[in-house]
Amino acid sequence: MTGREILHMGERRLAKAGVPEARINAWYLFAFCFGKVDREGQRHPMERSEFFLREEEEMSDKTCGEYREMLEKRSRRIPLEYLTNETEFMGLPFYVNEHVLIPRQDTECLVEEVLRVSEGKEVLDLCCGSGCIGISLAALGRCKSVMLADISEEALYVSRKNARKNRVSVEIVQSDLFSRIRGTFDIIVSNPPYIPTKDLEQLMPEVRDFEPRLALDGAEDGLLFYRHIIRESHCFLKKGGSLYFEIGYHQGKAVSALMEQAGLTEVRVKKDLAGLDRIVQGTLR
Ligand code: GLN
């Protein structure tokens, strides 16, 4: 089969399975399978321009078989990023697998917010998952130091891999929230699990069936982790230090109230690019 025939077959396969944005998904998987692998084992997806030059060429049966396998998996709604094991966040490359949440664009707003003030600061990223927040801050934020923590060993393996990939030096700690954290920080940033348990079933199949529950489930009202982190933040923030959260768009009021009740000041809610409440910050005075 030629490149063009294979790509069309892929588009039809995903469309038939009802995968949203079937065409672009078929292309990404095609580009991934038919791209190049360099001497370090790094994959380089095929560029669209190369495809146009080569679309009438016969492609290798072996790679075509791999592509078909990926299409089957994507048809079962396994997220694209878990198939390619990669994504981009803040313009940086991240490895991902099924043990971590796939970094979201919403979370870039949180990082942008922290980047305004991160220079020279000691930063803690709690519930780090893939490490996307802490590693971006370490790469782009001129921080004095960055510590990443998560309860999941599998997630920490991914974080370590991403720290190496982005050549940043960070400290990575296995910890159930603050349980094994020592020291104090200028900035604590967290995107904890925040979906109320009863809402989990309504999520899109990619998220509901394949992303880690541990990273999504915020218990009964979705606020469990915010309560815990806010309550203990006093012991881990320096005076004048700030706590930054990503929140669900309907949680702005509740989380800012929790911060105020705990005595944090200058509590603010900020919006994401879609105009929805997405970040809450507060400062310890
Ligand atoms: N901090 C990670 C992220 O933003 C993981 C978040 C989580 O597991 N809830 O992707």
Side-chain angles (χ1 to χ4, degrees), residues 86-111:
E86 61 187 19
T87 193
E88 218 182 69
F89 181 82
M90 295 300 293
L92 303 170
F94 283 87
Y95 168 88
V96 290
N97 66 22
E98 68 280 9
H99 298 297
V100 298
L101 215 65
I102 299 164
R104 306 287 203 273
Q105 220 174 11
D106 300 330
T107 308
E108 293 186 337
C109 296
L110 173 66
V111 173

Side-chain angles (χ1 to χ4, degrees), residues 101-103 107 125 127-130 132-133 191-193 215:
L101 215 65
I102 299 164
T107 308
D125 173 4
C127 310
C128 67
S130 64
C132 63
I133 299 173
N191 176 20

Side-chain angles (χ1 to χ4, degrees), residues 26-284:
W27 164 250
Y28 277 134
L29 291 176
F30 181 95
F32 180 81
C33 289
F34 292 96
K36 294 193 181 67
V37 182
D38 68 20
R39 261 184 261 147
E40 271 114 62
Q42 188 70 32
R43 286 216 180 222
H44 301 276
M46 184 188 278
E47 302 274 347
R48 198 76 203 194
S49 53
E50 190 188 342
F51 175 73
F52 287 127
L53 292 174
R54 295 181 47 196
E55 61 183 332
E56 301 306 335
E57 271 175 40
E58 291 289 317
M59 306 305 252
S60 100
D61 284 347
K62 179 165 169 283
T63 316
C64 196
E66 282 166 27
Y67 184 49
R68 282 179 198 275
E69 258 172 52
M70 285 207 159
L71 291 168
E72 288 321 304
K73 289 185 177 162
R74 189 68 192 93
S75 296
R76 289 174 18 225
R77 305 298 288 270
I78 299 180
L80 181 72
E81 292 87 343
Y82 289 158
L83 299 178
T84 61
N85 290 122
E86 61 187 19
T87 193
E88 218 182 69
F89 181 82
M90 295 300 293
L92 303 170
F94 283 87
Y95 168 88
V96 290
N97 66 22
E98 68 280 9
H99 298 297
V100 298
L101 215 65
I102 299 164
R104 306 287 203 273
Q105 220 174 11
D106 300 330
T107 308
E108 293 186 337
C109 296
L110 173 66
V111 173
E112 299 275 5
E113 209 48 48
V114 178
L115 279 176
R116 294 160 177 264
V117 297
S118 60
E119 185 162 353
K121 301 289 168 60
E122 296 182 74
V123 179
L124 169 65
D125 173 4
L126 216 50
C127 310
C128 67
S130 64
C132 63
I133 299 173
I135 289 168
S136 304
L137 291 171
L140 309 170
R142 302 167 187 275
C143 307
K144 182 173 174 197
S145 66
V146 178
M147 184 186 287
L148 285 75
D150 203 286
I151 192 173
S152 154
E153 281 293 354
E154 287 98 340
L156 294 179
Y157 168 84
V158 174
S159 277
R160 273 186 215 108
K161 214 171 154 91
N162 283 323
R164 276 200 302 278
K165 203 178 179 70
N166 286 288
R167 300 193 173 83
V168 296
S169 125
V170 293
E171 192 177 341
I172 299 182
V173 182
Q174 195 273 330
S175 179
D176 180 0
L177 298 178
F178 290 108
S179 66
R180 296 173 66 187
I181 304 296
R182 299 288 169 266
T184 56
F185 303 86
D186 301 297
I187 297 175
I188 298 175
V189 56
S190 181
N191 176 20
Y194 59 67
I195 316 271
T197 307
K198 64 171 175 9
D199 295 349
L200 288 169
E201 291 316 307
Q202 264 90 62
L203 299 171
M204 53 199 277
E206 279 84 351
V207 184
R208 185 191 62 209
D209 300 337
F210 297 101
E211 293 203 271
R213 282 288 155 115
L214 187 64
L216 293 168
D217 190 345
E220 209 164 314
D221 61 357
L223 301 175
L224 178 78
F225 293 90
Y226 298 117
R227 282 199 193 90
H228 275 257
I229 295 171
I230 291 170
R231 194 185 312 135
E232 288 187 60
S233 64
H234 292 256
C235 308
F236 296 92
L237 277 174
K238 296 183 198 290
K239 271 234 163 343
S242 299
L243 178 58
Y244 287 80
F245 282 130
E246 176 174 321
I247 55 157
Y249 65 91
H250 54 286
Q251 294 171 327
K253 276 218 177 74
V255 175
S256 37
L258 288 171
M259 280 199 188
E260 277 161 359
Q261 284 156 23
L264 294 174
T265 59
E266 295 146 72
V267 175
R268 282 188 208 108
V269 181
K270 300 209 167 136
K271 297 188 186 301
D272 61 20
L273 296 173
L276 302 169
D277 286 352
R278 187 61 65 190
I279 297 157
V280 182
Q281 68 179 80
T283 298
L284 183 69

